[in-house]
Amino acid sequence: CIGTTVNQGPIEIARVFLRDLFDGKVPSKHENKLRLCFKELLKKSGDALKRNRQFIKKDQEAYQNQLEKSYHQCMEYLKPLIQPAPLPANQVARQGQSPARPSAGEMSVTSPLV
């Protein structure tokens, strides 16, 4: 789960590598992949916190509350990145074109995480 110290890792990575996206820049292909990784990390972390809450004992309540507080702080910082983003830079040019049959390269199967 994301703790006070641990959540600094994703925040620092976002601050360094995705700084321009916070100002509304259209993400490149790789920036968009990283943005989607953050979205997945936050989803899985939130799910884990909910599940963990079901199993904790009374003496673990304060720790669980701190984990949840840290998670929400991380979520608030990364929220601008995980909301629906503009199209990646390599797709902006295609946006104005009329729908056409995709080429063989565009039809390739990719991982559900990208």
Side-chain angles (χ1 to χ4, degrees):
C1 291
I2 296 181
T4 304
T5 304
V6 175
N7 73 7
Q8 282 308 116
I11 288 173
E12 192 60 26
I13 290 169
R15 190 177 295 144
V16 170
F17 294 104
L18 302 177
R19 174 185 15 203
D20 296 338
L21 300 188
F22 286 101
D23 296 329
K25 176 189 168 238
V26 175
S28 70
K29 177 182 172 183
H30 297 294
E31 288 169 332
N32 196 50
K33 281 185 179 184
L34 182 56
R35 184 189 72 78
L36 292 173
C37 288
F38 281 126
K39 187 174 183 175
E40 184 75 15
L41 172 69
L42 290 172
K43 169 81 171 97
K44 289 186 183 289
S45 296
D47 292 347
L49 283 170
K50 287 177 190 171
R51 187 119 169 105
N52 192 59
R53 174 145 311 269
Q54 297 172 359
F55 298 107
I56 63 170
K57 295 182 174 38
K58 190 71 174 157
D59 64 331
Q60 298 168 316
E61 185 77 26
Y63 182 65
Q64 176 73 19
N65 290 338
Q66 182 58 44
L67 288 174
E68 290 173 1
K69 180 181 174 188
S70 296
Y71 167 77
H72 289 293
Q73 288 171 341
C74 186
M75 174 72 93
E76 280 304 308
Y77 183 82
L78 297 175
K79 187 185 283 186
L81 296 178
I82 61 175
Q83 293 173 339
L87 291 172
N90 63 343
Q91 292 182 2
V92 171
R94 292 187 225 161
Q95 187 177 14
Q97 297 176 354
S98 62
R101 187 173 175 193
S103 68
E106 292 173 329
M107 291 175 48
S108 64
V109 177
T110 61
S111 166
L113 298 178
V114 291

